Amino acid sequence: MGRLTIWFLLGLTLFAVSNHVGFVNADVGPSESECRPYIEKAINELKTDGVRDGSGELQSDQPRGDDDDDDDDDEDAKSANDLDGDGIPDDEDDDIDGDGIPNEKDDDIDGDGIPNEDDDDIDGDGIPNEDDDDIDGDGVPNSKDEDIDGDGVPNSKDEDIDGDGKANHEDDDLDGDGTPNHEDDDLDGDGVPNTEDDDLDGDGTVNHEDEDLDGDGVKNDEDEDLDGDGKVNHEDEDLDGDGVRNEKDDDLDGDGTNNSQDEDLDGDGVPNEKDEDLDGDGILNEHDGDVDGDGVPNEHDHKDSGENADDDDDDDDEDQKEAVKKRSKREVDAAPVLDIEAPPSPAEEFPVEEEIVKEESAEEEAEKEQEPEPEAEVEVEAEKEPEPEPVKEEKEESVEEKEEEQAAPVEEAKEVSTEQEAAPQEPETVQEDAVESEEAQDEPQADAAKETADDDDDDDDTKPEDELLWEGEIPQNRRSRQHISELLQLDEEFNAREKATDNVAEIILRDIKRIYENAIKPLETVYKYRELSNRHFSDPEIFSKPLILFMGPWSGGKSSILNYLTDNEYTPNSLRTGAEPSPAYFNILMWGNETEVLDGTQLAADYTFSGLQKFGQGLEERLRGLKIKSKLLEKVNIVEIPGILEVRKQVSRVFPFNDACQWFIDRADIIFLVYDPAKLDVGPETEAILDQLKGREYQTRIILNKADTVKPEELLRVQGALIWNISPLMSSAQPPLMYTTSLWTNPYQDGAPARLLLAQERAFLRDLRTAIDKRIEHKIASARRFAVRVRNHAKMVDCYLNTFYNHKTLFGNKKRIADDIIDHPQNYHIYEGLSTLTNISRYDLPDPEVYRDFFRLNPLYEFKKLTETCTYFRGCPITKLDVAIAYELPELAGKYKKMSESALASIEAQQDQAQNEQRSSNQADPKKTS
């Protein structure tokens, strides 16, 4: 019936056109332009399909054979690229649907009866718009198309760029590529990434002149997400979306005005002098350690902190500030943290002394030019040698250092002398070295130590230091610690959330203990696993607080970091810090309502550290604990392992040092290796420690401390040397994560890349907080690792037993057979057979020597085979253990996540309800509000 209608309309139209009368002239019925699409469609259908009669059989003027099928296939392929069949490909056709209306003026480009604004496939090519690289089918890719939707309006003037019927400011997908705006790296679809795009929203107005940067219809000064990346402004590290982090951005809000001259620094519409949050980071100015958000703490920031104070009277000061800015920017650019290059050649690493002298003299002249002094005096100082007074002070200090070094071991004296020779002879560094030397000494004992140094050499080598605490002078201009509380979430506002998650954590920890008691402990007891390994798992390991472990070479700054994190610097209870490699302690910091120093006996009796008793009295004498009232210690315990001293002669210890270190490593939630830039040597002691970290690479971090003492241009070289020294000794294929910073409140040395060091410190603190948040996941992982070790041990003993019974004869000597199997397991293929039958890796099994000692104490034939441990009512213990490893313990992680999310959601709902009630009460009683 449809075919007859088409033929009727075709004949009627032809008649009207040929006679120029009828419907055309009478303003009645369809016009020629209206009928033309139907005529062309009818002709195309007749060419391709023919006409079917009432019976449904295909009728045509010629019979349809194989040749006709080929022609039809060609016609279909052609029609796929030529929608109106006019012989012009769609991507070159100005009128795709052949309706006589150019595409740019056609409300229905593909002629499917669906307006463009409602059409999911505007150009009719069978590809949805969100997946189509050429939405309007004009042959120009969207990223290069000046008119994406083909409506004749350029993108820069188009109120609906992608032609989906939604205005740009209301469109969640501005360029119609299927990616929401807040996840789209190219917001306007012009092929230029947002971070490099001068016109972010494609409205034809450059960013710094655009009142609506992201094109969401909200003006910049009212927009909570300025760059439209889905992050609210006070949480966005790149406020204006230009690819430059806020602390490094000279134009924070992207309005084209430099921060130093911007009357509204964060672009929130509130002038700086009235803005309670100047840099828009969500922290009020009075609580913000960096008010203007430039990455430099307030106490070190010599700028006007965004208040635009005019100091035009002193041009030299302004020039000096600009020079410092440029220099700090060059230093940050010259010393990236993550890009580690290959180690330099010897010629580059050790330049000629003349070149070093030239560089140092050039730097001295540049620094003197920056000082706000008369030009005549600057020129005189540039020509003269350094003033005699600093040199005298330097000589006097060097004499005192030499006298102190006489009391130290020979190895330390050589190390210190080489450091003095390598250090640049500048007054500032000499003064800071003097500060460090003062911190390394105990002032009440300094004079006595100098007088009796020669007499007490032997006593210093054998007798350990008895004092844990240190007293010293408090330096001036200390750096702020406020960011530590913010990043570690130690403020009271986070207490409610943590209490909710702590309740959930308690439930999960009880589940871990239940699984241990029911599935792990039976086989651990039957096969005496505790007599094979020092790695135990019980209530202290399950219910203890997260453990943060610091280790590394001596004088790396570990004790200083502990004092810094716990806000215990320069107090009578501070941990002693110093550069001397004297016998040290395992320092353990715990929370206490009152400050208390604990000895090894008290620590070994503590619930958390009771497992250290097995290492003997020698270790207890090296344990020192400190209880202080610190918010951080309410959440974690912190342990510092004694500094590693690389000496040629191995030092004998009265306790198993490596086993004690392994005890702490197994229980640590995160491990930090602390290094001094001047001490990057890796010797046997360090190799042994790094070998114990195998399997824990994902929890290990490296801290390159005291980085402000290294010149920015040399910092990258030091990082590369450290990575190349350590990476081969760790089993991980990727280099470990490194933080380059200076962790104490002393101000950074002049010329140090302050922004870089502070950014690295903040990253370190965030990493530490993540380890605290993942404490339950770490407990589950530790329980599973222990369960795998117990299972492997049980199957290993069972393999020995099966081999024993297979070779035992009726009248044979069972002890002789057992001893032969234990002494020569390779002859019986015990390890190979176990790996083949159970899929247990050979590298997860202890060495044969370990089992040789184990079976000497526990005869092989006294154990039961695994099949003999099964009972009718209780089942098989090995099956329960396998189920716990494969299902029960992994499921606890998902259970904890769901319960935590639910608890946090209820807390947030309660907080919202309380806020709403407060608002309603304020509205009901205006007097309270006033």
Side-chain angles (χ1 to χ4, degrees), residues 709-764:
T709 61
V710 182
K711 294 181 179 179
E713 59 269 18
E714 296 178 0
L715 191 58
L716 181 60
R717 184 179 303 174
V718 174
Q719 291 175 333
L722 182 57
I723 288 293
W724 279 98
N725 285 343
I726 293 179
S727 294
L729 302 177
M730 302 183 72
S731 60
S732 175
Q734 297 180 350
L737 186 62
M738 177 186 292
Y739 298 111
T740 304
T741 184
S742 182
L743 295 175
W744 62 351
T745 56
N746 285 32
Y748 297 137
Q749 293 191 8
D750 293 340
R755 293 184 179 180
L756 173 65
L757 300 181
L758 185 60
Q760 287 284 285
E761 180 181 338
R762 297 176 71 90
F764 155 74

Side-chain angles (χ1 to χ4, degrees), residues 551-552 671-675 689-690 693 700-703 726:
M551 55 197 304
I671 303 168
F672 293 102
L673 294 175
V674 184
Y675 279 87
I689 292 296
L690 293 178
L693 293 176
T700 304
R701 310 287 188 268
I702 296 177
I703 298 178
I726 293 179

Side-chain angles (χ1 to χ4, degrees), residues 554-744:
W554 63 277
S555 189
K558 299 183 294 297
S559 299
S560 299
I561 294 175
L562 267 60
N563 290 333
Y564 179 59
L565 292 177
T566 57
D567 196 12
N568 193 36
E569 286 184 299
Y570 309 111
T571 68
N573 303 311
S574 298
L575 290 179
R576 180 178 180 180
T577 58
E580 68 278 359
S582 57
Y585 300 104
F586 287 81
N587 291 329
I588 301 176
L589 272 64
M590 301 179 292
W591 183 87
N593 197 25
E594 296 181 356
T595 302
E596 181 182 2
V597 179
L598 306 178
D599 58 15
T601 303
Q602 293 173 299
L603 282 173
D606 185 84
Y607 175 79
T608 303
F609 303 101
S610 58
L612 295 171
Q613 296 178 6
K614 62 184 176 182
F615 297 113
Q617 190 66 27
L619 175 62
E620 292 186 7
E621 294 177 355
R622 290 295 173 203
L623 292 177
R624 287 291 183 275
L626 179 61
K627 286 187 175 181
I628 55 177
K629 192 173 183 180
S630 170
K631 292 183 179 180
L632 176 60
L633 295 179
E634 292 180 359
K635 307 176 187 301
V636 301
N637 293 323
I638 305 178
V639 175
E640 175 199 356
I641 288 181
I644 302 170
L645 178 61
E646 299 291 354
V647 293
R648 295 180 180 178
K649 182 180 179 181
Q650 293 296 322
V651 179
S652 59
R653 297 185 174 93
V654 295
F655 66 94
F657 176 77
N658 289 342
D659 291 343
C661 292
Q662 188 67 58
W663 190 91
F664 287 106
I665 291 173
D666 290 339
R667 288 155 180 79
D669 291 78
I670 190 169
I671 303 168
F672 293 102
L673 294 175
V674 184
Y675 279 87
D676 185 334
K679 304 177 182 66
L680 304 180
D681 296 337
V682 176
E685 294 282 347
T686 304
E687 290 183 8
I689 292 296
L690 293 178
D691 185 68
Q692 291 179 289
L693 293 176
K694 290 182 178 179
R696 293 300 186 96
E697 293 83 5
Y698 67 98
Q699 291 178 310
T700 304
R701 310 287 188 268
I702 296 177
I703 298 178
L704 184 59
N705 201 22
K706 307 179 185 178
D708 60 331
T709 61
V710 182
K711 294 181 179 179
E713 59 269 18
E714 296 178 0
L715 191 58
L716 181 60
R717 184 179 303 174
V718 174
Q719 291 175 333
L722 182 57
I723 288 293
W724 279 98
N725 285 343
I726 293 179
S727 294
L729 302 177
M730 302 183 72
S731 60
S732 175
Q734 297 180 350
L737 186 62
M738 177 186 292
Y739 298 111
T740 304
T741 184
S742 182
L743 295 175
W744 62 351

Side-chain angles (χ1 to χ4, degrees), residues 268 270-279 283-288 291:
D268 60 354
V270 182
N272 295 335
E273 60 270 11
K274 298 181 181 180
D275 200 343
E276 297 180 354
D277 179 14
L278 186 62
D279 56 354
I283 304 174
L284 296 178
N285 296 334
E286 58 266 22
H287 301 299
D288 198 343
V291 172

Side-chain angles (χ1 to χ4, degrees), residues 185-400:
D185 295 333
D186 181 13
L187 185 65
D188 57 354
D190 61 353
V192 182
N194 295 334
T195 57
E196 302 175 6
D197 201 342
D198 295 334
D199 181 11
L200 186 64
D201 57 354
D203 60 353
T205 305
V206 292
N207 295 333
H208 66 271
E209 298 178 359
D210 199 343
E211 296 181 356
D212 180 13
L213 185 63
D214 57 353
D216 60 353
V218 183
K219 290 186 177 181
N220 296 333
D221 55 4
E222 301 176 0
D223 200 342
E224 296 182 356
D225 180 13
L226 186 62
D227 57 354
D229 60 353
K231 299 179 182 178
V232 292
N233 295 333
H234 67 271
E235 297 179 357
D236 199 344
E237 298 177 352
D238 180 12
L239 183 64
D240 57 355
D242 61 352
V244 182
R245 295 174 61 90
N246 296 333
E247 63 267 17
K248 301 179 183 180
D249 200 342
D250 294 334
D251 181 12
L252 185 64
D253 57 355
D255 60 354
T257 305
N258 192 281
N259 296 334
S260 61
Q261 301 175 356
D262 199 344
E263 297 180 356
D264 181 12
L265 185 62
D266 56 354
D268 60 354
V270 182
N272 295 335
E273 60 270 11
K274 298 181 181 180
D275 200 343
E276 297 180 354
D277 179 14
L278 186 62
D279 56 354
D281 60 354
I283 304 174
L284 296 178
N285 296 334
E286 58 266 22
H287 301 299
D288 198 343
D290 180 14
V291 172
D292 57 358
D294 61 353
V296 182
N298 298 332
E299 61 268 21
H300 302 300
D301 199 345
H302 300 294
K303 296 184 297 184
D304 53 14
S305 300
E307 297 177 359
N308 295 321
D310 295 330
D311 296 331
D312 296 333
D313 295 337
D314 192 352
D315 295 335
D316 293 338
D317 290 344
E318 293 296 331
D319 295 338
Q320 181 182 3
K321 292 178 182 179
E322 292 297 329
V324 171
K325 288 181 183 178
K326 294 179 180 178
R327 181 180 178 186
S328 61
K329 183 175 181 62
R330 289 198 302 270
E331 290 167 349
V332 173
D333 296 338
V337 180
L338 299 179
D339 297 336
I340 304 301
E341 299 179 357
S345 62
E348 296 175 351
E349 189 171 2
F350 303 100
V352 182
E353 294 182 358
E354 295 180 359
E355 296 178 358
I356 297 176
V357 173
K358 291 180 180 179
E359 291 178 0
E360 292 181 356
S361 62
E363 291 177 0
E364 292 177 359
E365 292 177 2
E367 291 178 357
K368 291 176 181 178
E369 289 176 1
Q370 294 177 2
E371 296 179 359
E373 296 182 359
E375 296 181 356
E377 295 181 7
V378 173
E379 294 177 357
V380 172
E381 290 180 359
E383 296 176 357
K384 294 181 179 181
E385 297 293 332
E387 295 182 2
E389 293 182 0
V391 175
K392 291 180 180 179
E393 294 177 0
E394 179 181 351
K395 291 181 179 179
E396 293 175 0
E397 292 172 354
S398 62
V399 171
E400 293 178 0

